[in-house]
């Protein structure tokens, strides 16, 4: 049905309102418009106090051992919620193993990280803070740091009012999750899903039809156009080791199941035009090239140049309006705040 | 006269409105309240377009070779405009030679850097971008980077409308200076200078009197309570080499004059309570200890504990209201944007 639909669209260069409605009906079975309010998060009721605390924590470089890195360093909200590097540079100038995914709309992913090893953002947030190649801190040191600044104790108390000892590593992660839940980026595609015919260009609509017809949407679907489900990278044809390095077996490291070798979470595609370079290895900088590689490796298809153009036009329609973020004012260190250390522990 | 004034204040525990007016009159001869609007900058008329461009540039990590560091990295506007480290960590995890000064109110300093080697912020802004241990970039690569993104070309054109080739390294620096000119932090001390008696506590007023009477204000004066004039660190008694490392001869490196050995610009003291650690070496974390060291090394005085408390209360009154900064949205890289490199060139 999608192929028919696509052919009618491409061949007859859009058949008017009826065809547009058909395409929308098909799209609504596969995708979902972004919610217009902050979504509920399981096990973590969102409150204004929690969001404010999470904003402060997200920007606080004192969550890292060195004082150099905050969440914002690699999930830079000025540049699409990621860091635009192959893999992030962290503590001691070490390089992380995989490309940093965007924090934008990440609350809507069904699991976090390229291998889905965290169920949600409150689990995810604890990872980089402790990773030796990222922020290289420890939960104990984080809690001592936060407790050393009276304003943080007040903010945690306001965000977790029923708890006797609110300043905990768990609550830090919950507050960061609450802030990240506000990082939604409504895009032209959402406007179009919601009925605004003019929100997508003809190329973007043709690209959407191709996206569904060729089978891209078999993995990249739902509200984040991906971000759920695990698939082998190289389902049909394995990309070269420059793009799919042999040493990183993806979800295999989580499940230790042979079937999960080189299996990764299908990337969420919102704001993909802002978040080069691409793939878990971050080896591809050009979006049209990334689209061609996906078509070959996952679908066994060599795309025509026009098809690439249309698919990229559709992907461009996933670039959303950035959330307005006012820089927080963080409390000053006190005499008991642990001092930053740039030393690298081997 | 200041000593008399101070003694009357301290001994009689504030003598009412007349004494307050005397103290204010004396203070107004030495200090100046912060301007309430963005100050004019020589050779760089400030416009809204230039401020907006400068905001974007200030936050853009692509001004560094690695893509890791922006101006904001070391002049973090969430933590007092500096990075709260002894000396900054830069490209290749190298450590800078001196403590990063705050960018807040820096436009009002008469010269920039600890040794005053830059006359103004547009000269200063070019330094860290090129320093091998900081952002490790080159002017050419910066210009190629900026020109590769059409939005930046538009923004430079709007900010420098009369120029045929507006995207230049010089104009980048001017735009950053324009943004930084907005980073003013009005403090209780300003309110008090402007006539609000209640803005300073009794301790802060006593500390102010001490600050003038003991001679601190001989160097730390003017609108930024410092930030102009060069003085030997250890005028009376040289601090130990753990605080004044022998290898860093300060302004001597700029003037090559023997008299300038270990000479540094008197630090501007606005927001000093937020910008530990102290001194060009960043070796002292505690503000009361820093005050004691200054009194001993510059004035040959051992302060009484009560005097330290009062001086710190005065310094606390220099902590201002942080400017409201909304994160900019930066343009995405294009095919011609130079890629980040974390390689360290020796």
């Amino acid at each position: 049905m999608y192929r028919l639909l696509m052919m009618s669209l491409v061949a007859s260069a859009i058949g008017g309102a009826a065809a547009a409605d058909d395409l929308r009906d098909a799209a609504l079975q596969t995708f979902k418009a972004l919610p217009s309010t902050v979504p509920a998060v399981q096990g973590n009721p969102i409150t204004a106090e929690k969001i404010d605390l999470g904003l402060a924590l997200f920007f606080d470089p004192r969550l890292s051992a060195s004082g150099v890195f905050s969440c914002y360093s690699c999930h830079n909200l000025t540049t699409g919620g990621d860091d635009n590097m192959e893999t992030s540079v962290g503590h001691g100038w070490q390089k992380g193993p995989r490309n940093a995914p965007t924090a934008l709309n990440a609350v809507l992913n069904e699991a976090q990280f390229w291998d889905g090893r965290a169920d949600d953002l409150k689990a995810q947030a604890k990872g980089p803070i402790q990773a030796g190649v990222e922020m290289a801190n420890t939960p104990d040191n984080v809690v001592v740091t936060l407790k050393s600044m009276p304003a943080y104790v007040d903010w945690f108390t306001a965000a977790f009012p029923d708890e006797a000892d609110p300043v905990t590593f768990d609550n830090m992660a919950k507050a960061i999750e609450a802030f990240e839940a506000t990082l939604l980026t409504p895009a032209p595609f959402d406007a179009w899903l919601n009925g605004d015919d003019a929100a997508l260009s003809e190329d973007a609509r043709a690209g959407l039809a191709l996206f569904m017809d060729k089978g891209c949407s078999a993995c990249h679907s739902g509200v984040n156009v991906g971000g759920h489900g695990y698939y082998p990278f190289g389902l049909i044809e394995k990309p070269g080791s420059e793009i799919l390095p042999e040493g990183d077996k993806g979800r295999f490291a989580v499940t230790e199941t042979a079937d999960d070798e080189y299996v990764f979470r299908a990337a969420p595609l919102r704001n993909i035009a802002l978040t080069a370079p691409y793939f878990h290895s971050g080896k591809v900088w050009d979006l049209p090239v990334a689209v061609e590689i996906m078509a070959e490796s996952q679908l066994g298809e060599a795309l025509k140049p026009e098809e690439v153009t249309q698919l990229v036009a559709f992907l461009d329609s996933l670039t959303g309006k950035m959330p307005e973020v006012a820089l927080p004012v963080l409390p000053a260190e006190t005499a008991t705040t642990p001092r930053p250390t740039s030393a690298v522990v081997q």
Side-chain angles (χ1 to χ4, degrees), chain A:
Chain A
M1 172 199 146
Y2 292 149
R3 180 169 293 276
L4 277 175
L5 176 63
M6 182 275 301
M7 288 178 68
S8 81
L9 281 169
V10 174
S12 70
I14 313 305
D21 285 348
D22 287 350
L23 182 62
R24 185 177 287 118
D25 289 345
L28 284 169
Q29 287 172 36
T30 305
F31 307 105
K32 208 175 145 185
L34 209 61
S36 54
T37 54
V38 176
V41 175
Q42 205 174 11
N44 187 19
I46 309 284
T47 63
E49 290 79 5
K50 225 182 261 182
I51 291 170
D52 287 348
L53 171 61
L55 167 70
L57 293 165
F58 190 87
F59 278 90
D60 201 326
R62 295 164 302 194
L63 295 189
S64 65
S66 66
V68 174
F69 301 110
S70 64
C71 306
Y72 169 82
S73 301
C74 299
H75 301 291
N76 190 317
L77 302 178
T78 71
T79 57
D82 72 337
D83 60 5
N84 304 317
M85 284 189 262
E86 279 184 24
T87 64
S88 303
V89 170
H91 192 83
W93 212 245
Q94 298 172 88
K95 289 198 127 186
R98 294 183 188 141
N99 183 261
T102 180
L104 299 171
N105 313 296
V107 67
L108 301 171
N109 293 331
E110 282 182 24
Q112 306 297 335
F113 294 117
W114 281 98
D115 54 16
R117 67 185 183 277
D119 280 343
D120 52 33
L121 288 174
K122 63 183 151 295
Q124 187 277 330
K126 297 178 186 175
I129 292 174
Q130 298 179 78
V133 302
E134 299 184 56
M135 295 164 81
N137 215 339
T138 64
D140 283 351
N141 194 57
V142 166
V143 169
V144 170
T145 298
L146 295 171
K147 285 189 172 176
S148 74
M149 294 179 262
Y152 264 125
V153 176
D154 291 347
W155 297 344
F156 271 89
T157 304
F160 301 94
D162 301 328
E163 301 190 19
D165 182 23
V167 187
T168 65
F169 196 60
D170 273 356
N171 283 347
M172 172 212 71
K174 283 182 177 172
I176 292 172
E177 180 177 58
F179 167 63
E180 291 183 319
T182 68
L183 301 177
L184 303 182
T185 64
F189 182 52
D190 298 298
W192 183 85
L193 283 176
N194 288 332
D196 178 0
D197 287 337
L200 291 194
S201 69
E202 189 176 321
D203 266 355
R205 293 195 304 274
L208 166 61
L210 282 170
F211 193 84
M212 294 189 290
D213 183 72
K214 298 266 184 201
C216 311
S217 62
C219 305
H220 298 281
S221 59
V223 65
N224 266 357
V225 195
H228 62 92
Y230 303 96
Y231 306 93
F233 190 5
L235 192 62
I236 304 294
E237 194 180 314
K238 226 174 174 180
S241 64
E242 76 286 1
I243 291 169
L244 181 63
E246 286 180 17
D248 183 354
K249 295 194 173 176
R251 196 161 163 77
F252 175 75
V254 181
T255 63
E256 292 184 4
T257 304
D259 281 357
D260 280 340
E261 282 195 359
Y262 303 108
V263 162
F264 295 88
R265 189 189 65 176
L269 298 183
R270 286 186 181 271
N271 301 301
I272 193 74
L274 305 179
T275 58
Y278 301 112
F279 305 128
H280 65 286
S281 60
K283 290 293 183 185
V284 175
W285 282 87
D286 194 52
L287 185 52
V289 172
V291 167
E292 287 170 338
I293 290 170
M294 274 279 105
E296 283 162 24
S297 63
Q298 307 306 96
L299 306 167
E301 279 221 38
L303 297 172
K304 299 188 195 99
E306 189 191 57
E307 292 174 325
V308 174
T309 301
Q310 291 166 337
L311 283 163
V312 169
F314 166 60
L315 295 175
D316 280 341
S317 81
L318 301 175
T319 300
K321 184 178 178 310
M322 293 297 118
E324 285 173 24
V325 176
L327 270 192
V329 176
L330 303 180
E333 295 95 339
T334 65
T336 59
T337 307
R339 301 305 171 209
T341 171
S342 58
V344 178
V345 180
Q346 295 298 344

